[in-house]
Amino acid sequence: MATAQAITGKKIWLDGSLVDWDDARVHILTHTLHYGLGVFEGIRCYRTADGGSAVFRLREHVRRLFESAHINLLELPFTREEVERACLEVLRANELAEGYIRPLVFLGEGAMGLNPANNPVRVAVVAWPWGKYLGEEGMARGIRAKVSTFVRHHVNAKMTKGKTCGDYVNSILAKREALLDGYDEAILLDTQGLVSEASGENLFLARDGHLRTPPLVSILEGITRATVIDLARDRGIPVSEVPITRDELYVADELFLTGTAAEVTPIREVDHRRIGQGERGPIARQLQEAYFDAVSGRDPRYHSWLTPL
Ligand code: PPE
């Protein structure tokens, strides 16, 4: 699986300048390494129909990075424009026409303990090639998922509007359990027992031509989720943000996941129950096509979402 391969490249943007890949190192007392208080983003750049490349929804991702930092009382020593420029610079420095961009805000060395008020807020931006997050076959046929034994954090524990490093321990536990149990992905329930999201993706359900997705309570406010809601409505598919129960998953016509890394990935089976026909359904297929037309600039209606490289 692409996600388990070691990555490498030429340059990394660190605290304001490009450094050689192997020189982007940190001290063992880096605060975030001990306590997990840091925030990050995941952004994709795609080749475009005009022969160039463009970053998809760069402004929205950088805005969420700053909001995640704000929620966690982290103040970046850079402006949003500087971080947007860093994302583009790092793609160029690594000669990537297509790839995944990972801005990371973390607390550097200084004090230990739970008051990092004086530790430096550091910023890195890395980029690397990243193929299909849940596999080529998963995109075409759908993946197999299990409802996790791990529960998504309560909103007042997790601060779900923030994409915080330490929160991903919960996702990693769920993901590894799912893989060890022979599935491709985990679906987590929230503290009330309602469907939340997958380990690194939001979830959509189709039934009788309508789409449903959980409301913004226990989930990350996915940028792909927002994109897919727009794409669906523009095609006359109604979408509602409503609570979803576990058994509603089992009787859905279609289920699919959305995320920057996972893009639009269908689910063909949950907990040994076949979903719909047990293959990628027509709505997932239509929205996959719409998504790839949007990110690649083939659909002029969505050009405002693209930042040319
Ligand atoms: N929920 C979670 C928990 C999540 O991590 C992501 C993104 C999403 C929903 C979808 O958000 P968006 O990318 O804005 O549509 N997960 C990122 C990290 C993946 C990783 O393995 O690392 C991603 O897709 O980039």
Side-chain angles (χ1 to χ4, degrees):
M1 209 201 232
T3 47
Q5 275 165 19
I7 58 161
T8 184
K10 296 189 174 93
K11 297 278 183 187
I12 287 173
W13 189 95
L14 185 60
D15 300 323
S17 54
L18 288 169
V19 299
D20 284 342
W21 187 275
D22 290 331
D23 293 338
R25 298 187 180 277
V26 294
H27 195 274
I28 204 72
L29 287 181
T30 296
H31 196 277
T32 304
L33 196 56
H34 296 246
Y35 304 109
L37 185 73
V39 299
F40 68 100
E41 268 306 317
I43 315 172
R44 274 193 193 261
C45 171
Y46 291 93
R47 283 203 175 80
T48 46
D50 61 5
S53 293
V55 178
F56 189 61
R57 308 201 75 168
L58 177 62
R59 274 185 305 278
E60 290 86 341
H61 280 282
V62 171
R63 176 180 172 188
R64 189 172 65 185
L65 182 75
F66 276 73
E67 290 175 349
S68 297
H70 179 71
I71 287 168
N72 285 301
L73 284 177
L74 299 172
E75 202 176 327
L76 278 81
F78 298 100
T79 63
R80 284 197 209 177
E81 292 69 30
E82 285 168 326
V83 174
E84 286 175 18
R85 271 201 299 278
C87 293
L88 299 170
E89 252 180 68
V90 112
L91 287 166
R92 288 190 205 109
N94 289 283
E95 294 165 42
L96 290 169
E98 209 157 45
Y100 186 81
I101 313 163
R102 167 57 52 81
L104 172 69
V105 177
F106 64 103
L107 285 166
E109 68 204 85
M112 276 288 119
L114 303 187
N115 180 17
N118 297 318
N119 290 49
V121 176
R122 305 187 59 186
V123 184
V125 185
V126 194
W128 63 85
W130 214 355
K132 296 296 173 218
Y133 189 63
L134 294 161
E136 293 282 352
E137 196 197 318
M139 288 300 261
R141 291 191 53 217
I143 60 153
R144 296 177 56 250
K146 76 167 259 171
V147 172
S148 185
T149 65
F150 296 99
V151 169
R152 195 47 113 203
H153 297 290
H154 188 275
V155 54
N156 289 333
K158 190 182 171 293
M159 305 287 108
T160 56
K161 295 289 176 296
K163 197 165 164 60
T164 302
C165 298
D167 291 336
Y168 281 80
V169 173
N170 179 238
S171 284
I172 291 171
L173 289 171
K175 177 78 182 186
R176 294 193 73 186
E177 176 190 65
L179 293 176
L180 289 167
D181 288 351
Y183 298 85
D184 305 304
E185 187 53 286
I187 297 171
L188 292 96
L189 305 180
D190 65 16
T191 47
Q192 288 184 57
L194 297 166
V195 173
S196 178
E197 59 180 346
S199 69
E201 306 92 357
N202 293 116
L203 181 138
F204 283 82
L205 176 158
R207 189 163 160 100
D208 298 332
H210 284 59
L211 281 178
R212 285 183 239 160
T213 193
L216 296 173
V217 182
S218 67
I219 63 170
L220 183 72
E221 186 170 2
I223 291 165
T224 319
R225 176 184 180 277
T227 301
V228 163
I229 290 174
D230 283 350
L231 294 173
R233 288 185 177 148
D234 289 350
R235 280 154 187 78
I237 304 169
V239 188
S240 38
E241 298 176 56
V242 287
I244 294 173
T245 61
R246 179 176 184 160
D247 53 357
E248 281 183 279
L249 297 177
Y250 299 154
V251 295
D253 296 334
E254 297 184 37
L255 296 176
F256 60 86
L257 300 175
T258 64
T260 299
E263 299 162 319
V264 178
T265 301
I267 300 177
R268 68 171 197 271
E269 189 188 311
V270 178
D271 297 342
H272 305 290
R273 276 87 171 166
R274 193 186 61 202
I275 304 305
Q277 300 304 308
E279 58 187 20
R280 173 176 59 186
I283 294 181
R285 188 195 187 108
Q286 186 186 3
L287 292 172
Q288 273 182 336
E289 280 170 14
Y291 188 73
F292 289 117
D293 283 347
V295 300
S296 64
R298 283 194 295 270
D299 191 333
R301 284 178 286 178
Y302 308 111
H303 277 180
S304 65
W305 285 340
L306 308 183
T307 302
L309 182 57

